[in-house]
Amino acid sequence: VMRTWLSTAPLASRYRERAAAPWITATCRGSTYETPKPVLTNRATSFIELRDKLRGLGVQFRSNCDAEVVLQSLLVWGELSFEKFNGMWALAWLDLDKKRLLLSRDRLGEKPLYYYRGTQAFFFASELKGILAGSGERFSVNLPVAARYLQQSLLGAQDETFFAGIQRVPAGHNVYLDLTGFPLVPSPRLLRYWSPSLKDEFEGSISRRIEQIRETFLDSVRIRMRSDVPVGVLLSGGIGSSSIASAMRAILGKDMDLHMISAVSDDARYDEQPFIDEMTKYLNCRSSKVAWRPNGSQAFNLLETVTYFNDEPVGDFSNVVHYLLMQQAKDLGITVILSGQGDDELLCGYRKYLGFYLQHLIRNGKFYSAVEILVKFVTRGTLVSGFAMADAKRYLPKPFRTSGIHDFGPLLQSDDFFMNVGLGENDLVSRQLADLTQFSLPSLLHHEDRMSMACSREIRLPFLDYRLIDLLLPLAPEWKLRDGWTKWIFRKAMEHHMPSKITWRKDKMGFENPQSEWLKKEFREEVNSILRGDLLVESCGLVNRAALQRSYEVYSEQRAGYGRISFKDILHPIALELWMRCFESSLSLDHPTASSS
């Protein structure tokens, strides 16, 4: 049995604890409200419209739930149904007439789905733990996946998992299993049903394009607010989450409660409270703030808990903070939470994109344009300072990639598993697509889904509406990186919906915390305890203990933001060790396997 979440519009949420009633427009503390309908030619087809279409074709419904709409859509339209859905899902359809099993995952992989072809059975589940328990087998550590994690800080960059042999259903794909040869276990067949467009097909003026982006975004937020349980938003001080909060306020009206949850820090370098307070004042509401002040033992106990829910090693301590945010949402009774994931990948929000863009221009002989763009960012004051070679090295060619101390074990002495995560021969839009589908977003979606579902909360992501992706992703870089601003066109689209201090905020912070300093100080005792004890990562040949200990000592003496050793160079071997301990009963630790693409 596989759990499926058929959430976000048009598919309303289904929770582990309680189900939402999607036919109610929206509710907040018992009051039903109607959402305004923006003028939009490309409005989302919700499950209600799909149900009406099916009724017009003679389908009789027994309920008002979205799951029956999904099932009836499959019976009438088959796999074409997935092109009609706007939302997130992970589902299995056993078609007895065609004697086949169909597994399907939503366009961007917001919801998880895994499978494993054993010698006598085929297993699938929404969590790896389901396959581990169902099969009862021991799995080798997938060497390429572990290598990319340790060497390049990559998570979710391939469809293989840390357990060799267990695959994830790729985002935007269906997996077919022909059952006519039963009891023999057939090989699964994969078929992509959706790919993001890289061709800009918009016709019209720039003002009309901005209007279309704004209307589509507002509609995306509107349909993701449908629920009969309280809906909130994760609010940082950035433009992505702030624009979602502003859209929610416009949709709710000024007199309705708006639930916001924020992570804050005592460290001014990572604290976004001034921007959060600016938004709450502007929207006439308050945000419930979570401030984590960890001690070492508490932090590592939480890290072990999060690792269990995550099914794989964590990327950093933001996973822990996210888990605490979801616990706070549960305590507040907020069941559905909107989040801004995806905006940086779509709108060139990360600092690396400016570097990629300049690289592309120079490579194509456009030196003057490159200099002009760089000067605008410098004079505007939006060129992010604090460049750290330790974090940037994974984007560089091999001769420039060094952490100073080589702490990989004997199985990781070569670059056989290295992935090129730089610009390569691609243009900037293609590199954005790579982040959406491989290098950035899959990992973020993974941990956000795991942390929310661990607390029976549901995350919905307005920026991943496929209509918005079709509008933003193909846009030429000059509309995203313009006049010294990142996300320029979206800032223009939302500038009248937010205070200018937020819309035209110059610094980019993101969901960060002082974890680099924590590793050096607050967590030092726990780190040393792990490094001096028995290490599974060492016995498996993945990590050189002595070199890792030297790396940690050098790292602890580095000034913040300086040096060639990143906190990930220290944290990831430790996180991998904690993951192996957590799932040791399901691991075959003698022979890590290199069978991966």
Side-chain angles (χ1 to χ4, degrees):
V1 177
M2 180 189 66
R3 292 191 304 273
T4 58
W5 297 274
L6 305 174
S7 52
T8 96
L11 310 179
S13 53
R14 305 184 65 81
Y15 311 108
R16 294 179 181 178
E17 293 183 342
R18 56 189 297 195
W23 54 92
I24 296 176
T25 306
T27 61
C28 186
R29 295 190 178 178
S31 300
T32 303
Y33 56 85
E34 293 293 331
T35 58
K37 297 177 173 61
V39 178
L40 183 66
T41 57
N42 186 24
R43 290 180 61 82
T45 302
S46 76
F47 88 104
I48 298 175
E49 286 84 13
L50 288 177
R51 187 176 60 199
D52 291 341
K53 288 182 180 179
L54 291 166
R55 280 175 173 162
L57 296 173
V59 175
Q60 295 183 353
F61 285 86
R62 300 179 182 180
S63 72
N64 290 321
C65 72
D66 65 304
E68 187 179 4
V69 174
V70 172
L71 177 59
Q72 297 291 3
S73 296
L74 291 171
L75 292 174
V76 172
W77 295 309
E79 295 92 314
L80 293 177
S81 300
F82 302 121
E83 299 177 10
K84 302 177 185 292
F85 296 164
N86 182 358
M88 58 185 180
W89 64 87
L91 62 85
W93 178 26
L94 179 61
D95 191 333
L96 296 178
D97 292 334
K98 294 182 178 180
K99 292 184 172 57
R100 73 176 185 184
L101 175 70
L102 166 66
L103 307 179
S104 181
R105 194 162 175 231
D106 61 69
R107 290 176 178 86
L108 269 301
E110 296 179 54
K111 282 299 172 185
L113 187 53
Y114 302 95
Y115 66 93
Y116 167 62
R117 182 188 178 219
T119 55
Q120 296 181 319
F122 183 84
F123 301 89
F124 60 93
S126 55
E127 291 187 26
L128 290 172
K129 288 183 284 289
I131 294 177
L132 300 179
S135 67
E137 296 186 28
R138 285 179 174 264
F139 296 85
S140 297
V141 176
N142 192 318
L143 187 55
V145 176
R148 291 162 188 161
Y149 171 65
L150 292 176
Q151 294 175 341
Q152 298 182 268
S153 303
L154 289 176
L155 284 166
Q158 59 279 304
D159 291 321
E160 291 81 9
T161 70
F162 277 83
F163 297 94
I166 302 181
Q167 308 276 109
R168 67 178 183 184
V169 175
H173 278 72
N174 295 329
V175 172
Y176 300 89
L177 198 71
D178 185 359
L179 303 178
T180 56
F182 184 84
L184 296 177
V185 182
S187 298
R189 179 173 62 92
L190 277 68
L191 182 65
R192 178 184 290 274
Y193 67 83
W194 179 80
S195 296
S197 174
L198 296 181
K199 183 179 180 181
D200 186 2
E201 298 180 345
F202 182 87
E203 296 181 358
S205 64
I206 184 60
S207 60
R208 177 55 188 150
R209 185 191 292 269
I210 290 173
E211 181 183 4
Q212 183 79 349
I213 290 171
R214 178 174 56 252
E215 291 179 351
T216 303
F217 174 73
L218 292 173
D219 195 51
S220 176
V221 173
R222 178 184 65 83
I223 60 179
R224 283 165 177 79
M225 290 178 63
R226 291 173 175 170
S227 172
D228 70 340
V229 292
V231 179
V233 58
L234 287 179
L235 177 69
S236 70
I239 186 173
S241 63
S242 296
S243 62
I244 293 174
S246 295
M248 292 175 71
R249 169 56 76 209
I251 292 166
L252 288 169
K254 63 179 182 179
D255 297 324
M256 298 297 293
D257 286 338
L258 177 58
H259 305 283
M260 297 193 288
I261 309 172
S262 304
V264 297
S265 173
D266 292 334
D267 191 323
R269 294 172 299 171
Y270 304 97
D271 188 29
E272 295 197 275
Q273 286 193 76
F275 301 101
I276 293 168
D277 293 342
E278 180 76 19
M279 279 303 301
T280 56
K281 179 181 178 181
Y282 181 80
L283 298 176
N284 190 28
C285 60
R286 64 182 181 87
S287 179
S288 177
K289 298 174 182 177
V290 175
W292 187 39
R293 302 174 181 89
N295 59 53
S297 59
Q298 177 206 44
F300 277 78
N301 286 337
L302 277 171
L303 193 60
E304 291 174 359
T305 299
V306 164
T307 298
Y308 171 79
F309 288 126
N310 210 45
D311 278 344
E312 68 180 29
V314 302
D316 54 48
F317 279 96
S318 65
N319 297 57
V320 174
V321 178
H322 203 283
Y323 176 66
L324 297 176
L325 283 169
M326 294 300 100
Q327 285 188 329
Q328 178 78 347
K330 187 172 184 176
D331 292 341
L332 295 171
I334 303 172
T335 310
V336 176
I337 304 104
L338 273 59
S339 171
Q341 293 291 10
D343 70 320
D344 287 313
E345 289 81 1
L346 286 171
L347 293 160
C348 294
Y350 295 128
R351 69 184 72 178
K352 64 185 177 184
Y353 288 124
L354 177 59
F356 286 151
Y357 189 31
L358 297 176
Q359 180 184 346
H360 175 73
L361 291 172
I362 293 172
R363 188 174 63 196
N364 287 275
K366 299 180 179 179
F367 301 102
Y368 176 78
S369 297
V371 171
E372 184 180 33
I373 290 170
L374 181 59
V375 167
K376 286 183 178 180
F377 273 88
V378 172
T379 55
R380 179 76 68 184
T382 51
L383 184 64
V384 179
S385 60
F387 173 83
M389 178 61 72
D391 295 323
K393 63 191 177 188
R394 66 175 179 157
Y395 300 109
L396 302 176
K398 181 179 177 180
F400 300 96
R401 285 185 287 111
T402 174
S403 62
I405 300 176
H406 189 75
D407 51 23
F408 306 126
L411 294 181
L412 302 182
Q413 294 299 315
S414 72
D415 272 346
D416 292 346
F417 311 121
F418 177 76
M419 278 188 166
N420 184 358
V421 297
L423 184 63
E425 299 300 319
N426 297 319
D427 59 15
L428 186 59
V429 173
S430 297
R431 186 56 182 76
Q432 287 180 263
L433 176 61
D435 274 339
L436 279 171
T437 59
Q438 187 176 16
F439 296 135
S440 174
L441 190 64
S443 174
L444 296 172
L445 296 181
H446 176 96
H447 87 251
E448 196 164 66
D449 175 79
R450 298 311 190 280
M451 297 306 99
S452 60
M453 295 309 298
C455 300
S456 302
R457 306 300 95 180
E458 180 175 294
I459 294 287
R460 300 181 181 179
L461 306 172
F463 281 100
L464 297 191
D465 189 306
Y466 72 91
R467 300 169 300 157
L468 201 57
I469 292 172
D470 286 343
L471 282 172
L472 295 177
L473 179 61
L475 267 174
E478 55 261 32
W479 298 112
K480 302 165 187 174
L481 300 168
R482 188 178 183 89
D483 294 338
W485 297 102
T486 63
K487 306 182 183 182
W488 180 86
I489 195 165
F490 190 73
R491 293 175 192 264
K492 291 295 292 182
M494 297 300 295
E495 65 178 340
H496 299 303
H497 292 261
M498 294 185 294
S500 60
K501 289 183 180 179
I502 302 297
T503 307
W504 302 106
R505 179 181 171 184
K506 294 182 178 182
D507 58 321
K508 162 71 178 172
M509 188 172 294
F511 191 50
E512 298 182 8
N513 53 66
Q515 56 193 337
S516 178
E517 297 305 300
W518 291 341
L519 276 180
K520 298 176 182 178
K521 300 173 184 176
E522 285 87 348
F523 302 164
R524 187 171 184 83
E525 182 177 347
E526 283 69 26
V527 171
N528 281 326
S529 176
I530 291 174
L531 295 183
R532 292 167 184 165
D534 295 333
L535 288 179
L536 296 174
V537 290
E538 180 185 37
S539 62
C540 284
L542 300 176
V543 171
N544 181 319
R545 178 205 300 266
L548 179 57
Q549 288 175 325
R550 289 198 302 273
S551 291
Y552 181 55
E553 292 305 316
V554 173
Y555 171 76
S556 297
E557 298 300 321
Q558 287 180 178
R559 289 172 54 200
Y562 293 86
R564 287 184 172 270
I565 300 179
S566 166
F567 80 90
K568 294 180 181 180
D569 296 329
I570 307 301
L571 177 61
H572 286 186
I574 294 173
L576 183 61
E577 172 69 21
L578 295 180
W579 172 79
M580 293 180 71
R581 294 179 184 181
C582 182
F583 293 96
E584 185 174 3
S585 62
S586 297
L587 288 172
S588 175
L589 300 177
D590 295 331
H591 303 288
T593 180
S595 58
S596 174
S597 59

